[in-house]
């Protein structure tokens, strides 16, 4: 534990150092990024020890704050989320070094590195905190540091808007979390705390765990946690901040936000689940339906975006939905005592947490390199980059195949377990429950098809064909410092795909902890379920082997017979231009404009050519987020209108404010007196 | 002891023979299906038509040609046909042909079936986009869009069989119990059969969804994606397409002809005949139907999904 705290301390120190040396971009980068990398390597040591079954002593310190000591601990659940946080933050720092360095003439680099380090330190503290107060403080540090990273390019209105939406969303979520933790500690909801446990221990996680909650209160807490943490995890309809923030942040931060920060929402939900006792029958289905809905809406919106980082952001929403679905299926299985399904569901969810961190980290790095090279995130201005950036393009293609959940990569391994858990539920139970599971498989297949379309569109328009702008035509390969982290992530994607068993052994203890089982039980149940992880690992391995062998055969054959080259066949048209290529919009045209439900379609305006000699014609399409446009914007506008009446209170005069303070104190004293009097009589 | 090892030996021998025949039939027969379809259409049109073996001649000729690659293209273009061929050939090993065995079989192989085909499609379409041609982009977009809707129909149909057989292994799902399923749950199985026939037609770009013989690129789906491939690469694509047709036809055969003669000598010819009957049925559909408007294709595909979904609902009683 000491080591991990030292790592956090180092991180903060490095951040401050970067801030202190912000005059020199080189030094700020060296201190900021170097500190982050060293801290992440240092932190991985105790984390991996815990994940491999070892133990690290908790660490406690008296703290001069009401409600609890400063208590930190690493258990299996924390360690499981700490690994991607530390590993990806190290890689992001490595990547961010050269990435941010290019901005050295426009920006001071001290600030970004300070907030980057604070952001990572905040996430680590969220994961190790064992009192509600510390948890919420770390949560706020993480959220606020991310805000400053999102608004790094604050001279752009788009970035300011993204930061604003993010700030509101994260604080509305945090409000629910305050309520959740206060209720957890409240004697009304909690029979154990009522019987005179010391007030000081009230906000300790250990105290929550011993709770015997009333079922109604457990249900209320579940919903509160789902909303509060769901806002961070990007569950529909709380997802609106996510595409804005991911697109506006610098790419290495986007990778961290999408790869690990949104998973903090999931961690919080899982942590609270361990406090609530055995899951009630309706929790699992609720989570599963919410997840399925999130995944469907996420992918339907992802396939229409023209900003490559927004495509990835909406795909993050889809993947968080899939994780929610798998977790929901697992909880349902647990509640219905179908243990095989329960363990398949939770394994799928946990495996996908790591997988998504790898894949999305990789893809945001690639997107960053593309932005770096071509100067735009607009895919209609890109094209033909595979020729100009063979390394970035190659790993981006790999990441796209992985995110489309196609074999032989790691996305497929997670999808495989999700399918199996749903299918086993459906085949085993003959009631409506089984029917729903089977129909959900159909929707999962639809999501898979749409994901394949989304990522084919992304790589097809960005990497293949001919460049659609001069900047894309003159794109150059990223520097080795940026390619290195991408290659590491790509290699890890392949590694997880071939040997998911090795990883599952590491984190099945997490499943035990979440379900409240004795250690080792999840592993046994999974082995009873026909060893699906070994199968999918073998499938991926053999497929990689066969594909590799045939690739070698083709290369040998191509070397032997030198093929002729010529221009692309334009069906008789001799002068094709880059503008004649299919665009990202036209690629998704059939789905986006005639198959999707109306509220998910893009907003288009056409001015068709008219007359014999048409003069002007035009076409424009926009993809505003339907939830933000149809729900939140009207809601907040109305709220603002009705709240203007409260402006009367805000006079801007100090003496009026002093009266407010005075009145508040009087009221508080009166209330305390009444309470004491109440207790005595 | 000797008896037992002899038995094990015979069993192994039988498995090896069975798998060899499986692979041979699956690799040799696909072009014949194309030939039979073309012949059927010719008979309907009152023509003599090309010989039934014409697809084989075409393939041999294509493999001997040289190739021309567009200067726009990268390795993705070269990889496309090969990945498609490899994935399709692997799928052939997953499906049972004459009895409840397939060379490769494990719990959940139905997922792999759909996703291998998906991987092949991904790379065919990526190769099309690699040329930078407007037409090929159009074909790629159409192909993956319609596949999005065909995939749930395929999956839901498979789930009906999974539910009936209580297994998640293709060899058992499409295995010997089909006759009993027809007796007990004829409505569900019939719905799946109908749904899968629609999926077969769209996945293999047949009329009424796509016309492999059309000459206007704007109306094509699959053919327009491979405009730039020539010579051996085009041969591989043609063969891969035939293999895919074989896969879907074989699944239809397993579903619709649950008959067995009791011996391998009778079963394989029976299977081959049934397969040719499916090819004739495709030919008849192609001869008697007009092409659908492109905008109507999704409606029919959604209908296929719903048919399979109803098949599942009818199992609840």
């Amino acid at each position: 534990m000491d080591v991990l705290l030292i790592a956090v301390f180092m991180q903060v120190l490095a951040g401050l150092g970067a801030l202190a040396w912000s005059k020199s971009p080189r030094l700020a980068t060296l201190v900021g990024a170097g500190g982050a990398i060293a801290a992440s390597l240092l932190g991985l040591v105790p984390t991996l020890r815990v994940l491999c079954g070892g133990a690290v002593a908790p660490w406690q310190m008296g703290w001069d704050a009401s409600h609890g000591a400063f208590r930190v601990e690493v258990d299996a659940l924390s360690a499981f989320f700490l690994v991607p946080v530390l590993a990806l933050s190290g890689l992001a720092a490595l990547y961010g070094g050269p990435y941010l360095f290019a901005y050295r003439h426009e920006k001071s680099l001290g600030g970004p590195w300070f907030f980057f380090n604070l952001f990572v330190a905040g996430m680590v503290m969220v994961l190790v905190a064992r009192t509600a107060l510390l948890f919420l403080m770390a949560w706020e540090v993480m959220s606020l540091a991310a805000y400053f990273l999102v608004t790094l390019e604050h001279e752009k209105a788009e970035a300011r808007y993204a930061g604003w939406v993010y700030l509101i969303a994260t604080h509305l979520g945090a409000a629910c979390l305050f309520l959740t933790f206060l209720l957890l500690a409240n004697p009304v909801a909690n029979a154990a705390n009522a019987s005179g446990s010391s007030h000081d221990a009230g906000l300790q996680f250990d105290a929550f765990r011993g709770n015997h909650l009333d079922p109604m209160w457990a249900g209320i807490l579940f919903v509160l946690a789902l909303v509060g943490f769901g806002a961070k995890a990007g569950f529909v309809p709380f997802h609106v901040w996510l595409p804005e923030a991911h697109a506006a942040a610098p790419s290495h931060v986007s990778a961290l936000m999408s790869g690990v920060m949104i998973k903090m929402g999931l961690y919080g939900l899982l942590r609270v689940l361990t406090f609530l006792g055995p899951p009630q029958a309706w929790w699992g289905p609720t989570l599963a339906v919410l997840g399925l809905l999130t995944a469907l809406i996420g992918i339907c919106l992802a396939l229409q975006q023209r900003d490559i980082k927004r495509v990835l952001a909406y795909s993050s929403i889809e993947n968080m939905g899939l994780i929610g679905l798998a977790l929901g299926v697992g909880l349902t299985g647990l509640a219905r005592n179908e243990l095989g399904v329960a363990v398949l569901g939770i394994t799928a969810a946990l495996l996908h947490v790591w997988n998504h961190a790898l894949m999305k980290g990789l893809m945001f790095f690639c997107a960053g390199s593309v932005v770096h090279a071509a100067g735009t995130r607009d895919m209609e201005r890109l094209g033909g980059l595979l020729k100009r950036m063979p390394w970035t393009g190659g790993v981006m293609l790999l990441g796209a195949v992985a995110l489309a959940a196609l074999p032989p990569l790691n996305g497929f391994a997670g999808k495989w377990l999700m399918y199996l858990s749903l299918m086993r539920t459906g085949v085993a139970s003959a009631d409506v429950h089984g029917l729903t599971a089977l129909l959900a498989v159909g929707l999962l297949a639809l999501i898979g098809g749409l994901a394949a379309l989304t990522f084919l569109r992304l790589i097809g328009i960005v990497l293949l064909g001919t460049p659609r702008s001069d900047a894309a035509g003159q794109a150059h390969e990223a520097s080795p410092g940026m390619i290195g982290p991408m290659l590491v992530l790509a290699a890890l994607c392949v590694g997880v795909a071939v040997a998911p068993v090795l990883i599952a052994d590491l984190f099945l203890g997490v499943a035990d902890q979440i379900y409240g089982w004795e250690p080792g039980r999840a592993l046994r149940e999974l082995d009873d379920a026909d060893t699906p992880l070994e199968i999918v690992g073998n499938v991926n391995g053999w497929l990689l082997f066969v594909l590799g062998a045939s690739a070698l055969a083709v290369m040998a054959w191509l070397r032997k017979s030198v093929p002729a080259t010529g221009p692309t066949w334009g069906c008789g048209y001799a002068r094709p231009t880059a503008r004649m290529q299919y665009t990202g919009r036209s690629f998704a045209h059939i789905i986006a404009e005639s198959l999707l439900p109306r509220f998910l379609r893009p907003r288009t305006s056409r001015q068709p050519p008219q007359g014999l000699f048409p003069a002007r014609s035009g076409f424009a399409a926009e993809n505003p987020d339907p939830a933000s446009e149809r729900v939140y914007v009207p809601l907040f506008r109305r709220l603002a209108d009705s709240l203007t009446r409260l402006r009367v209170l805000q006079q801007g005069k100090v003496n009026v404010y002093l009266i407010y303070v005075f009145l508040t104190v009087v009221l508080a004293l009166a209330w305390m007196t009444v309470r004491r009097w109440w207790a005595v009589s | 002891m000797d008896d037992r090892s002899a038995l094990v030996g015979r069993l192994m021998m039988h498995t090896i023979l069975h798998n060899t025949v499986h692979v041979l039939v699956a690799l040799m027969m696909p072009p014949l299906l194309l030939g039979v379809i073309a012949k059927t259409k010719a008979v309907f049109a009152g023509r003599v038509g090309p010989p039934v073996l014409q697809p084989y001649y075409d393939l041999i000729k294509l493999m001997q040609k040289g190739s021309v690659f567009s200067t726009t293209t990268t390795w993705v273009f070269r990889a496309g046909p090969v990945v498609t061929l490899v994935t399709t050939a692997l799928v052939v090993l997953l499906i049972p042909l004459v009895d409840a065995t397939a060379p490769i079989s494990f719990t959940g192989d139905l997922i792999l079936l759909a996703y291998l085909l998906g991987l092949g499609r991904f790379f065919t379409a990526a190769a099309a986009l690699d040329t930078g041609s407007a037409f090929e982009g159009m074909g790629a977009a159409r192909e993956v869009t319609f596949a999005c809707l065909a995939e749930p129909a395929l999956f839901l149909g498979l789930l009906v069989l999974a539910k009936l057989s209580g297994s998640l292994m293709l060899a058992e799902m499409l295995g010997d119990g089909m006759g009993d399923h027809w007796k007990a749950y004829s409505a569900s199985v019939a719905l799946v059969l109908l749904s899968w026939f629609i999926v077969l037609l769209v996945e293999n770009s047949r009329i009424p969804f796509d016309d492999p013989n059309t000459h206007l690129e704007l109306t094509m789906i699959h053919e327009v994606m491979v405009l730039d491939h020539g010579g051996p690469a085009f041969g591989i694509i043609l063969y891969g397409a035939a293999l895919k047709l074989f896969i879907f036809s074989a699944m239809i055969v397993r579903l619709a002809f649950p008959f067995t003669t009791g011996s391998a000598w009778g079963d394989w010819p029976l299977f081959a005949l049934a397969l040719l009957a499916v090819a004739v049925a495709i030919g008849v559909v192609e001869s008697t139907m007009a092409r659908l408007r492109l905008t109507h294709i999704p409606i029919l595909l959604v209908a296929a999904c719903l048919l399979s979904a109803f098949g599942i609902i009818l199992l609840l009683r």
Side-chain angles (χ1 to χ4, degrees):
Chain A
M1 198 63 237
D2 303 345
V3 182
L4 200 60
L5 282 181
I6 292 171
V8 171
F9 190 64
M10 243 168 88
Q11 199 110 43
V12 176
L13 215 61
L16 288 172
L19 204 56
W21 277 301
S22 55
K23 284 260 158 39
S24 148
R26 196 171 295 274
L27 217 53
T29 304
L30 213 61
V31 173
I37 295 166
S40 72
L41 286 177
L42 190 64
L44 272 175
V45 176
T47 308
L48 285 176
R49 198 187 312 144
V50 170
L51 211 52
C52 292
V56 173
W59 201 80
Q60 191 156 352
M61 184 177 81
W63 196 16
D64 196 17
S66 63
H67 292 108
F70 180 97
R71 186 178 165 81
V72 290
E73 188 188 353
V74 181
D75 57 8
L77 182 57
S78 302
F80 173 77
F81 283 90
L82 270 174
V83 171
V85 168
L86 291 170
L88 198 62
S89 68
L91 288 171
L94 195 62
Y95 176 92
Y99 180 83
L100 273 184
F101 203 63
Y103 291 91
R104 64 188 177 281
H105 303 301
E106 304 144 37
K107 298 256 165 220
S108 152
L109 297 187
W113 281 114
F114 172 67
F115 288 118
F116 178 88
N117 279 309
L118 214 56
F119 178 46
V120 179
M123 284 196 282
V124 174
M125 286 310 288
V126 163
L127 291 172
V128 297
R130 285 299 177 274
T131 64
L133 201 62
L134 184 61
F135 179 90
L136 289 171
M137 282 176 69
W139 187 266
E140 285 299 302
V141 169
M142 167 184 89
S143 299
L144 287 178
Y147 167 76
F148 287 107
L149 290 167
V150 168
T151 52
L152 181 64
E153 292 183 88
H154 50 76
E155 66 278 2
K156 292 183 184 162
E158 174 204 11
R160 287 198 301 273
Y161 176 72
W164 178 234
V165 173
Y166 168 72
L167 207 59
I168 295 174
T170 192
H171 279 111
L172 286 182
C176 284
L177 298 188
F178 275 91
L179 210 55
T180 311
F181 283 115
L182 285 177
L183 274 178
L184 269 170
N186 193 332
V188 180
N190 188 338
N193 273 15
S195 57
S197 64
S198 80
H199 204 55
D200 213 32
L203 286 174
Q204 297 252 6
F205 281 6
D206 290 341
F208 295 158
R209 202 166 304 132
N211 282 350
H212 295 286
L213 289 172
D214 185 55
M216 186 190 73
W217 282 105
I220 291 174
L221 281 168
F222 174 74
V223 172
L224 274 176
L226 196 59
V227 174
F229 289 117
K232 186 60 78 178
F235 287 153
V236 168
F238 318 116
H239 66 279
V240 282
W241 63 272
L242 203 148
E244 308 289 342
H246 283 51
S251 295
H252 64 298
V253 177
S254 312
L256 263 191
M257 289 177 81
S258 174
V260 288
M261 187 188 80
I262 56 174
K263 312 292 192 309
M264 295 298 114
L266 202 70
Y267 163 79
L269 189 61
L270 289 173
R271 179 63 75 189
V272 169
L273 275 178
T274 62
F275 303 151
L276 298 185
Q280 290 169 26
W282 56 274
W283 295 0
T286 308
L287 192 57
V289 169
L290 185 68
L292 202 56
L293 216 67
T294 301
L296 259 177
I297 291 182
I299 198 66
C300 285
L301 291 170
L303 63 84
Q304 322 174 1
Q305 306 299 322
R306 60 187 281 180
D307 178 335
I308 51 178
K309 282 172 83 174
R310 286 178 81 97
V311 174
L312 297 177
Y314 275 110
S315 145
S316 296
I317 296 174
E318 176 229 9
N319 279 290
M320 289 310 285
L322 289 179
I323 294 172
L325 168 70
L327 191 61
V329 171
L331 288 179
T332 314
L334 188 65
R336 291 168 57 94
N337 207 23
E338 292 162 0
L339 298 185
V341 172
V343 75
L344 273 178
I346 190 109
T347 315
L350 293 177
L351 183 64
H352 209 66
V353 167
W354 276 24
N355 274 343
H356 185 243
L358 292 177
M359 304 187 287
K360 229 8 118 37
L362 172 64
M363 283 305 259
F364 270 113
F365 285 175
C366 291
S369 299
V370 167
V371 173
H372 225 277
T376 177
R377 304 198 302 255
D378 182 358
M379 64 162 75
E380 316 290 27
R381 303 247 172 281
L382 297 167
L385 290 182
L386 186 58
K387 271 206 159 145
R388 288 151 188 88
M389 312 171 73
W391 287 98
T392 305
V395 290
M396 194 169 173
L397 200 80
L398 185 129
V401 173
L403 273 170
L406 291 171
L409 291 170
N410 56 347
F412 180 63
K415 210 62 180 285
W416 172 275
L417 293 180
M418 285 174 208
Y419 272 116
L420 272 188
S421 61
L422 278 174
M423 284 176 176
R424 283 174 65 107
T425 311
V427 171
S429 45
D431 53 359
V432 179
H433 181 78
L435 175 75
T436 322
L438 289 182
L439 294 181
V441 173
L443 287 180
L444 201 56
L446 180 65
I447 293 171
L450 291 174
L453 185 143
T454 305
F455 286 101
L456 181 63
R457 170 176 176 267
L458 182 69
I459 58 138
I461 304 301
V462 173
L463 296 179
L464 307 176
T466 46
R468 291 175 177 77
S469 68
D470 290 341
Q474 287 150 13
H476 54 88
E477 182 57 280
S479 68
M482 286 159 77
I483 294 175
M486 291 191 234
L487 286 180
V488 172
L489 284 175
L492 284 174
C493 280
V494 176
V496 174
V498 180
V501 187
L502 294 181
I503 308 173
D505 281 351
L506 289 183
F507 63 62
L508 279 170
V510 185
D512 289 326
Q513 191 188 344
I514 295 166
Y515 282 171
W517 288 349
E518 77 275 6
R521 173 130 177 230
L523 186 64
R524 276 205 307 284
E525 296 289 348
L526 190 67
D527 280 343
D528 286 348
D530 288 336
T531 59
L533 278 169
E534 274 150 48
I535 290 178
V536 73
N538 286 342
V539 163
N540 280 335
W542 279 105
L543 191 58
L544 269 177
F545 173 74
V546 173
L547 285 176
S550 37
L552 284 180
V554 171
M555 266 153 68
W557 181 76
L558 280 177
R559 194 159 299 160
K560 206 172 65 189
S561 68
V562 181
T565 53
T568 294
W569 166 239
C571 300
Y573 190 72
R575 296 193 150 274
T577 69
R579 291 191 55 188
M580 289 167 62
Q581 288 176 101
Y582 239 45
T583 58
R585 233 196 68 74
S586 46
F587 195 82
H589 167 81
I590 306 177
I591 289 229
E593 274 165 53
S594 47
L595 295 182
L596 287 184
R598 255 169 227 292
F599 70 98
L600 289 176
R601 291 185 191 174
R603 201 167 44 208
T604 56
S605 62
R606 282 161 221 269
Q607 193 186 356
Q610 278 170 341
L612 284 178
F613 301 100
R616 284 183 63 82
S617 59
F619 175 83
E622 276 183 285
N623 290 301
D625 192 279
S628 114
E629 206 196 27
R630 281 165 198 257
V631 183
Y632 293 112
V633 171
L635 180 77
F636 281 107
R637 190 162 293 151
R638 193 166 296 174
L639 219 60
D641 285 348
S642 54
L643 289 181
T644 40
R645 277 177 226 151
L646 289 180
R647 289 227 179 122
V648 186
L649 295 173
Q650 207 171 13
Q651 296 284 349
K653 293 176 190 159
V654 179
N655 43 5
V656 178
Y657 292 139
L658 279 177
I659 289 180
Y660 292 159
V661 173
F662 177 71
L663 282 178
T664 314
V665 171
V666 167
L667 278 176
L669 283 174
W671 184 61
M672 280 171 72
T673 320
V674 170
R675 237 183 83 165
R676 186 160 308 158
W677 177 72
W678 192 266
V680 168
S681 67
Chain B
M1 200 64 205
D2 269 358
D3 271 4
R4 205 164 141 211
S5 59
L7 197 70
V8 169
R10 263 177 56 197
L11 216 65
M12 257 179 68
M13 200 63 207
H14 177 258
T15 312
I16 290 173
L17 253 175
H18 183 277
N19 288 348
T20 316
V21 176
H22 183 113
V23 171
L24 279 179
V25 169
L27 293 187
M28 300 305 292
M29 210 174 152
L32 185 63
L33 297 182
L34 292 179
V36 170
I37 293 176
K39 199 74 178 175
T40 315
K41 286 167 80 172
V43 169
F44 260 81
R47 292 182 281 117
V48 180
V52 185
L53 296 182
Q54 186 63 41
Y56 294 93
Y57 307 146
D58 290 349
L59 283 176
I60 293 168
K61 188 164 187 186
L62 280 171
M63 293 317 281
Q64 287 164 348
K65 286 190 173 183
S67 17
V68 184
F69 290 130
S70 158
T71 42
T72 315
T73 60
T74 58
W75 57 268
V76 174
F77 183 78
R78 290 142 181 81
V82 184
V83 174
T84 313
L85 179 69
V86 168
T87 51
T88 322
L90 287 177
V91 171
V92 160
L93 301 179
L94 295 177
I95 51 165
L97 297 181
V98 296
D99 53 14
T101 55
I104 301 175
S105 187
F106 48 85
T107 305
D109 52 4
L110 69 163
I111 309 167
L112 188 63
L113 167 99
Y115 273 76
L116 274 179
L117 291 177
L119 181 67
R121 190 181 305 119
F122 189 93
F123 269 88
T124 314
L129 286 167
D130 201 15
T131 59
S133 143
F135 290 112
E136 299 200 30
M138 183 183 72
R142 289 174 181 173
E143 170 102 354
V144 289
T145 303
F146 298 142
C148 284
L149 294 172
E151 214 160 87
L154 178 67
F155 254 109
L156 290 171
L158 284 169
L159 288 180
V160 171
L161 301 180
K163 187 102 182 159
L164 284 175
S165 63
S167 162
L168 293 175
M169 244 185 257
L170 278 174
E172 286 172 13
M173 288 160 53
L174 292 164
D176 295 331
M178 198 62 77
D180 300 332
H181 303 332
W182 271 105
K183 279 179 201 127
Y185 293 93
S186 46
S188 286
V189 187
L191 285 175
V192 175
L193 181 60
L194 197 58
S195 162
W196 276 9
F197 196 68
I198 297 176
V199 173
L200 178 148
L201 292 176
V202 70
E203 283 277 352
N204 295 290
S205 25
R206 317 302 312 184
I207 295 174
F209 297 100
D210 188 9
D211 188 354
N213 295 327
T214 183
H215 288 284
L216 185 59
E217 291 87 354
L218 274 176
T219 63
M220 296 179 185
I221 298 176
H222 185 268
E223 284 298 304
V224 74
M225 274 204 302
V226 297
L227 279 180
D228 240 69
H229 289 278
F234 187 58
I236 290 176
I237 286 171
L238 270 189
Y239 180 69
L243 214 53
K244 199 166 163 188
L245 180 65
F246 175 87
I247 290 164
F248 281 94
S249 307
M251 283 166 68
I252 297 268
V253 168
R254 291 302 305 165
L255 197 61
F257 298 88
F259 307 113
T260 171
T261 58
S263 93
W265 295 106
D267 276 350
W268 283 105
L270 191 68
F271 169 77
L273 276 179
L275 209 56
L276 294 181
V278 173
V280 171
I282 297 171
V284 171
V285 169
E286 293 216 317
S287 311
T288 53
M289 281 189 81
R291 263 197 68 169
L292 282 174
R293 267 177 63 184
L294 203 65
T295 44
H296 290 176
I297 294 178
I299 300 173
L300 204 58
L301 283 175
V302 171
C305 293
L306 290 180
L307 286 177
S308 288
F310 278 130
I312 293 181
I313 293 170
L314 284 180
L315 292 179
L316 288 179
R317 55 173 186 189

